[in-house]
Amino acid sequence: RLFKSINKIELYDENATKAKIMNGFKSIAKSAKPQDVFVFFYAGHGSLDEEQKIRTGTVRFISFQQM
């Protein structure tokens, strides 16, 4: 085995709200240790901005301290 344990949070479809995703990140941040590996996988079909216009992909990297 590569890892001693694997902890995962899975959110699908309408259950994958911004609030639930952020709560998942915060939960992981509370329990993660410096030697842990964190993987975030997102698969989607795009999104709409506030004006209901199609938005192109944007990736931002933030630290847990910024959340």
Side-chain angles (χ1 to χ4, degrees), residues 4 9 31-32 49 58:
K4 181 178 173 182
I9 299 171
S31 62
D49 64 14
T58 301

PDB file of all heavy atoms in Angstrom, residues 4 9 31-32 49 58:
ATOM      1  N   LYS A   4      -1.013   4.938   4.247  1.00  0.00           N
ATOM      2  CA  LYS A   4      -1.544   4.271   5.439  1.00  0.00           C
ATOM      3  C   LYS A   4      -3.068   4.350   5.470  1.00  0.00           C
ATOM      4  O   LYS A   4      -3.744   3.391   5.812  1.00  0.00           O
ATOM      5  CB  LYS A   4      -0.946   4.942   6.682  1.00  0.00           C
ATOM      6  CG  LYS A   4      -1.371   4.350   7.982  1.00  0.00           C
ATOM      7  CD  LYS A   4      -0.680   5.077   9.127  1.00  0.00           C
ATOM      8  CE  LYS A   4      -1.221   4.615  10.456  1.00  0.00           C
ATOM      9  NZ  LYS A   4      -0.578   5.349  11.555  1.00  0.00           N
ATOM     10  N   ILE A   9     -13.629  13.154   0.512  1.00  0.00           N
ATOM     11  CA  ILE A   9     -14.933  13.801   0.539  1.00  0.00           C
ATOM     12  C   ILE A   9     -15.389  13.852  -0.909  1.00  0.00           C
ATOM     13  O   ILE A   9     -14.687  14.385  -1.771  1.00  0.00           O
ATOM     14  CB  ILE A   9     -14.846  15.224   1.122  1.00  0.00           C
ATOM     15  CG1 ILE A   9     -14.338  15.186   2.565  1.00  0.00           C
ATOM     16  CG2 ILE A   9     -16.201  15.927   1.027  1.00  0.00           C
ATOM     17  CD1 ILE A   9     -14.013  16.538   3.143  1.00  0.00           C
ATOM     18  N   SER A  31      -7.287  18.809   9.971  1.00  0.00           N
ATOM     19  CA  SER A  31      -6.713  17.520  10.353  1.00  0.00           C
ATOM     20  C   SER A  31      -5.441  17.144   9.594  1.00  0.00           C
ATOM     21  O   SER A  31      -4.747  16.213   9.998  1.00  0.00           O
ATOM     22  CB  SER A  31      -7.751  16.411  10.180  1.00  0.00           C
ATOM     23  OG  SER A  31      -8.127  16.313   8.822  1.00  0.00           O
ATOM     24  N   ALA A  32      -5.123  17.846   8.527  1.00  0.00           N
ATOM     25  CA  ALA A  32      -3.948  17.498   7.717  1.00  0.00           C
ATOM     26  C   ALA A  32      -2.650  17.801   8.456  1.00  0.00           C
ATOM     27  O   ALA A  32      -2.545  18.796   9.170  1.00  0.00           O
ATOM     28  CB  ALA A  32      -3.984  18.242   6.393  1.00  0.00           C
ATOM     29  N   ASP A  49     -20.985  33.013 -14.997  1.00  0.00           N
ATOM     30  CA  ASP A  49     -20.679  34.101 -14.073  1.00  0.00           C
ATOM     31  C   ASP A  49     -21.991  34.737 -13.603  1.00  0.00           C
ATOM     32  O   ASP A  49     -23.084  34.265 -13.918  1.00  0.00           O
ATOM     33  CB  ASP A  49     -19.730  35.117 -14.700  1.00  0.00           C
ATOM     34  CG  ASP A  49     -20.325  35.829 -15.907  1.00  0.00           C
ATOM     35  OD1 ASP A  49     -21.547  35.750 -16.130  1.00  0.00           O
ATOM     36  OD2 ASP A  49     -19.553  36.476 -16.642  1.00  0.00           O
ATOM     37  N   THR A  58     -10.682  29.143 -14.886  1.00  0.00           N
ATOM     38  CA  THR A  58      -9.778  29.955 -14.090  1.00  0.00           C
ATOM     39  C   THR A  58      -9.287  29.102 -12.940  1.00  0.00           C
ATOM     40  O   THR A  58     -10.085  28.460 -12.262  1.00  0.00           O
ATOM     41  CB  THR A  58     -10.501  31.191 -13.518  1.00  0.00           C
ATOM     42  OG1 THR A  58     -11.019  31.957 -14.603  1.00  0.00           O
ATOM     43  CG2 THR A  58      -9.559  32.052 -12.703  1.00  0.00           C
TER      44      THR A  58
END
